[in-house]
Amino acid sequence: MTNHCLNCQKPLTDAFCASCGQKADTHRISFKHFIFHDVLHGTLHLERGILFTAKQALVRPGQAALDYISGKRKPYYNVFYLVLLTIGLQLFVRHGYDWLVDPDPQEVRLREHLNAATQKLDAIFSQKSKIILLLFVPFAALNSFILFRRKKLNLSEHAILAGMILLGILLVSIMGHLLFFVNLLVQMSNMVLSMVVTAAIVGYIGFAYVNAFKDDYSRWEVGWRTVLFFVLILLEIFLLMLLLIGYVTDWKFTAVNVAPFG
C-alpha cells in the first residue's frame, strides 16, 4: 500500500481514498484475484443489486423509491438501467412466444388488408416501443407531482418513483407473458389472459402509489388521488394516440384499427 492514491494522487488516510473512493490496497492482479474477485465477486454483486431492486419494485415500490430518494442507494441497481434491461427481456419473451406459435391464418389475412395508416401505426408501436414505454415516466411524474404535493418531492424525485413503478410494471408484464406459454398447454382465451394481465398492471400501479403516500394521506385521500392519477394517465394516452393517429393519417384522421389487448 502506498501513501497516496494511485488513481487521483491524493494523500491516503484510510482504507479508501477520501477523494475518489478507490481502495488503498491495489495489489497486482493474480489469476486467483482475477477469478474470485474480478469475475465472481463482480458478477454476484451485480446480480444481487439487480435482484434486490427487482424484488423491491414488486413488493414495496413506493417505499423503495422513497428510500432511494432519501439517500439509501447502495443496495439498489440503477433503476433506469434496469428498466432498459427489462424492456429487452420483455421483447425477448414476446418474440419467443411469437416464434413458438404459428400465426392465425385469419389474423394474417386481416393484417394483409389493413390500411396504410394502420400499418404505419403498427410500425411505430413495433419500432419505438422502448420510447413509448419510457413516456410513462414523465407523464406519471407530472401527475403525481400535481396530486401528491404534501410529500414535498420535486419533479425529478417523482420521476425516480415513476421509474421504480415502470420497472414493476415491466416485471408484471413479463410474468403475464409467461402465462401465454402456459396457455399453449391449457388453451385458455388469449383475450381473457390479456385482460387479466392488464388488470394486474392497473392494480399494481394503484398499489405502488398507495405504498408511497399512505403515511402522508388518509386512506380516502390517497384513494381518490390515485383514481384521479389514472384519469390523467388515460387522458394523456388519449392525447398521445390522437397525435399518433393524426401523424399516420397525414392529419386527416381517417379510420385506423387499434387493438388494446392485441
Side-chain angles (χ1 to χ4, degrees):
M1 178 169 29
T2 65
N3 59 2
H4 65 277
C5 176
L6 297 177
N7 182 58
C8 67
Q9 305 303 316
K10 295 295 178 65
L12 290 171
T13 58
D14 208 335
F16 292 87
C17 176
S19 178
C20 70
Q22 178 168 286
K23 288 182 67 174
D25 183 13
T26 54
H27 50 74
R28 291 189 65 182
I29 298 174
S30 65
F31 179 76
K32 179 180 178 181
H33 182 273
F34 172 73
I35 295 296
F36 289 99
H37 185 272
D38 290 1
V39 177
L40 292 179
H41 178 266
T43 303
L44 292 174
H45 180 75
L46 177 66
E47 289 182 353
R48 188 161 56 242
I50 288 175
L51 293 176
F52 177 81
T53 307
K55 178 185 175 182
Q56 295 296 298
L58 286 173
V59 302
R60 53 189 299 273
Q63 290 298 312
L66 293 177
D67 285 349
Y68 187 90
I69 290 167
S70 68
K72 300 176 183 178
R73 298 170 189 173
K74 185 173 179 58
Y76 291 93
Y77 190 74
N78 185 289
V79 171
F80 292 100
Y81 287 166
L82 191 49
V83 163
L84 293 175
L85 290 173
T86 309
I87 290 174
L89 178 59
Q90 181 192 44
L91 294 174
F92 175 79
V93 172
R94 183 184 301 172
H95 289 316
Y97 178 81
D98 292 340
W99 180 74
L100 284 175
V101 178
D102 293 328
D104 184 348
Q106 183 178 359
E107 183 179 345
V108 172
R109 287 195 297 272
L110 287 173
R111 294 188 70 83
E112 288 175 349
H113 293 87
L114 292 177
N115 59 34
T118 300
Q119 292 179 15
K120 194 174 180 180
L121 187 63
D122 280 350
I124 291 174
F125 285 143
S126 176
Q127 297 169 10
K128 308 296 183 183
S129 58
K130 289 183 180 180
I131 296 174
I132 292 172
L133 286 170
L134 288 172
L135 284 176
F136 174 84
V137 173
F139 288 159
L142 179 61
N143 295 346
S144 61
F145 177 74
I146 294 170
L147 294 171
F148 297 100
R149 301 298 296 271
R150 196 175 298 169
K151 195 69 178 178
K152 300 188 184 304
L153 301 177
N154 61 41
L155 189 58
S156 297
E157 290 167 335
H158 278 281
I160 294 293
L161 173 61
M164 185 70 74
I165 294 172
L166 176 57
L167 174 60
I169 291 171
L170 292 168
L171 293 171
V172 172
S173 178
I174 288 172
M175 289 186 283
H177 277 88
L178 295 177
L179 289 178
F180 285 89
F181 287 92
V182 177
N183 192 42
L184 295 175
L185 301 175
V186 297
Q187 294 299 311
M188 288 179 59
S189 167
N190 281 351
M191 175 66 75
V192 171
L193 277 179
S194 295
M195 295 179 71
V196 167
V197 173
T198 302
I201 290 173
V202 171
Y204 167 81
I205 296 172
F207 159 71
Y209 280 100
V210 171
N211 184 247
F213 300 110
K214 58 183 174 61
D215 294 335
D216 302 276
Y217 296 89
S218 68
R219 188 173 300 179
W220 162 250
E221 287 176 323
V222 75
W224 73 257
R225 281 176 168 82
T226 302
V227 171
L228 189 52
F229 173 89
F230 282 113
V231 172
L232 291 174
I233 282 289
L234 289 174
L235 178 60
E236 287 154 355
I237 291 173
F238 172 76
L239 292 175
L240 179 62
M241 287 300 302
L242 201 62
L243 287 173
L244 287 174
I245 290 171
Y247 172 73
V248 300
T249 60
D250 294 325
W251 308 106
K252 297 176 182 178
F253 294 96
T254 53
V256 175
N257 295 324
V258 179
F261 298 107

